[in-house]
Amino acid sequence: MSDWPEARSDDNRGSRYGRGSASAQPESARVMRQVRRGPAAPPGQGGYGPGPASPPYAGGVPQQPSYVNGGDDSAYGNGYDSGYNTGQVYGGDGAGGPGGPGGGRGPRPAPNWRRRIKWTAITVTTLLVVTTVATYFWADSKLNREVDLSKVIDRPETGEGTNYLIVGSDSRAGMSSEEKKKLHTGSAEGKRTDSMMILHTGGNGDTLISLPRDSDVEIPTFVGSESGKTYKGTGRHVKLNAAYAEDGPELLVRTVEFNTGLHIDHYVEIGFAGFANIVDAVGGVEIDIPKGGMKDTKSGADFAAGKQTLNGEQALAFVRTRYALAGSDLDRTKNQQKFLNALANQVATPGTILNPFKLYPTMGAGLDSLIVDKDMGLYDLGKMFWAMKGVNGGDGTSMNMPISGSTGGNLVWDKAKVKTLVDELKNDEKVTVK
């Protein structure tokens, strides 16, 4: 089937085909040469134009020009290049033409890794900035700024560093009957302070001072936080937590400032439920229970000695226990400091900070349950948190307010030591009082 028909065989074409033929038969497409572009061939050198007849060829068939590499230079000088061999008919070079290695396209350029890395870095940085800004505004919107320290009168002068009054209240707001029973909080109405601490941050180490709830203090003249009425001081002495129960955070701040002479810059309060939720959000806190264990039916504490991880319910029982402790409220304040330090160290770990599934629930649980003063910002809160984390290490100091004795069940502060302590805090000096 691949043989040419006899009438079209190269050997039988005869003189009907080829250059200068007078036959009416058209030249076969197989042997039709391309039309030459450019000037005509000189007379006598081709089959076109006037001139003597072309010399005869053997076999009656003129020699056909070769189309390999664009033409036959021997027959046509420079020859005609159809472009099919180089791909130029498509406007490209040989590599890009049909059948070329490029398949109609040029070679693919090597990837610009420097450019890719640059844009990846820009994209990641942009996402981090957007996420950080969004988180800041989200967290800031969750702060409950309810305490107005501008209502506090006759305040001491501001000293060096920053002083936070940190209060743990026994508020049961928002708790169901089941939760109150589970957390052993009881069902007392209103709220009282279960723990109070002053945290001083400065350039000479941070200091955390617990104020026993049974501390004997004088209620000074104050302005009611709700009524706006002025209540004159009568020299009345009460336990420190009674000041909070009488007129809330503003009177508590006024009482602490009056009895210490130390200016309080910020106020932070957290209730029972909020405290337990924060502990659960971080997955519990590891505490080393001292030899002999701890058991208190009133708080619900029931712990064996040794290291163990406490959940929210157990943590609340641990920091509230005092009847099972030899030093009662003084030992309880030590446990509270110990636990807050452990909690801060638990939160400030890569496993919490770099894990959004743990970080956001922790922040949400804490911010939802915190009550702060109107001038408190996230920066101040973060500064307080980091100071709490490192207060027991390096230059930090953790202590109780110095006590000289008791009267009528109230703990009496050592006035000389308290004055020295307050002076050192005001001047942001290294604390020497023990």
Side-chain angles (χ1 to χ4, degrees):
M1 293 180 65
S2 62
D3 295 336
W4 288 95
E6 181 180 352
R8 306 183 73 167
S9 170
D10 287 343
D11 297 332
N12 298 321
R13 284 180 186 155
S15 61
R16 293 180 303 163
Y17 304 103
R19 195 177 300 164
S21 174
S23 173
Q25 293 290 338
E27 187 177 20
S28 169
R30 179 174 178 270
V31 299
M32 182 178 291
R33 55 190 171 85
Q34 298 292 334
V35 177
R36 180 181 179 85
R37 297 178 182 175
Q45 296 184 16
Y48 302 98
S54 300
Y57 295 93
V61 180
Q63 182 179 359
Q64 299 299 310
S66 171
Y67 294 98
V68 179
N69 297 327
D72 183 2
D73 292 341
S74 65
Y76 294 103
N78 293 332
Y80 170 71
D81 185 359
S82 67
Y84 282 97
N85 291 318
T86 65
Q88 291 177 356
V89 71
Y90 292 98
D93 57 17
R105 299 179 181 176
R108 179 176 296 177
N112 189 335
W113 289 108
R114 180 176 295 179
R115 179 185 176 91
R116 291 187 179 185
I117 292 173
K118 182 182 87 169
W119 282 106
T120 299
I122 290 174
T123 301
V124 172
T125 301
T126 301
L127 288 175
L128 287 175
V129 171
V130 171
T131 302
T132 301
V133 172
T135 300
Y136 176 87
F137 284 105
W138 167 77
D140 187 73
S141 68
K142 296 179 77 66
L143 279 177
N144 301 309
R145 297 181 175 93
E146 299 178 6
V147 180
D148 188 356
L149 295 183
S150 67
K151 296 179 180 179
V152 180
I153 62 173
D154 299 334
R155 309 193 66 186
E157 292 184 1
T158 303
E160 300 293 329
T162 304
N163 300 311
Y164 300 84
L165 180 60
I166 304 172
V167 175
S169 77
D170 63 359
S171 172
R172 299 156 178 83
M175 296 176 63
S176 65
S177 299
E178 291 75 13
E179 289 173 326
K180 292 176 183 178
K181 182 178 180 180
K182 178 181 177 182
L183 297 177
H184 300 270
T185 65
S187 300
E189 296 298 327
K191 61 180 181 178
R192 284 153 294 278
T193 51
D194 211 50
S195 61
M196 291 158 284
M197 304 177 188
I198 294 176
L199 173 65
H200 173 84
T201 62
N204 284 291
D206 303 316
T207 304
L208 183 63
I209 308 163
S210 287
L211 309 176
R213 57 178 288 175
D214 293 339
S215 297
D216 185 81
V217 293
E218 179 182 341
I219 298 294
T221 299
F222 70 97
V223 175
S225 59
E226 296 295 334
S227 65
K229 180 181 178 181
T230 299
Y231 297 89
K232 291 292 185 179
T234 61
R236 175 169 54 104
H237 280 245
V238 297
K239 293 182 179 180
L240 182 57
N241 66 338
Y244 182 95
E246 189 171 328
D247 197 51
E250 288 84 1
L251 179 55
L252 178 61
V253 171
R254 169 71 176 130
T255 303
V256 169
E257 289 187 340
F258 177 81
N259 285 270
T260 63
L262 186 67
H263 181 92
I264 299 299
D265 298 290
H266 292 293
Y267 177 91
V268 181
E269 177 186 328
I270 187 168
F272 282 162
F275 180 82
N277 289 339
I278 293 175
V279 175
D280 286 334
V282 299
V285 176
E286 186 179 74
I287 285 291
D288 189 2
I289 304 297
K291 185 178 179 179
M294 181 184 296
K295 188 169 185 178
D296 184 357
T297 56
K298 291 185 177 295
S299 68
D302 189 3
F303 309 119
K307 289 185 178 180
Q308 51 198 286
T309 299
L310 307 184
N311 60 25
E313 175 186 350
Q314 295 168 328
L316 186 59
F318 177 79
V319 299
R320 294 183 62 221
T321 296
R322 65 170 177 165
Y323 293 105
L325 304 175
S328 188
D329 198 39
L330 292 177
D331 282 348
R332 176 168 69 167
T333 57
K334 294 178 183 178
N335 282 341
Q336 290 170 348
Q337 292 177 353
K338 178 180 178 180
F339 188 87
L340 287 178
N341 179 260
L343 175 60
N345 279 280
Q346 176 74 20
V347 173
T349 60
T352 299
I353 295 176
L354 299 180
N355 183 355
F357 298 102
K358 185 175 282 189
L359 175 63
Y360 284 96
T362 301
M363 291 180 65
L367 296 173
D368 277 339
S369 56
L370 287 179
I371 296 175
V372 300
D373 64 270
K374 294 184 180 297
D375 294 327
M376 186 79 158
L378 284 178
Y379 173 79
D380 302 304
L381 192 62
K383 185 179 176 182
M384 182 198 81
F385 173 79
W386 288 107
M388 186 77 71
K389 176 180 179 294
V391 74
N392 286 336
D395 295 328
T397 301
S398 179
M399 60 185 293
N400 274 322
M401 186 65 82
I403 303 296
S404 61
S406 64
T407 177
N410 295 357
L411 298 174
V412 179
W413 294 350
D414 187 320
K415 293 183 179 181
K417 288 185 177 182
V418 169
K419 184 179 185 306
T420 301
L421 174 62
V422 170
D423 287 342
E424 291 174 342
L425 295 178
K426 281 183 175 182
N427 297 318
D428 195 24
E429 298 173 350
K430 178 67 178 176
V431 171
T432 61
V433 177
K434 302 299 181 181

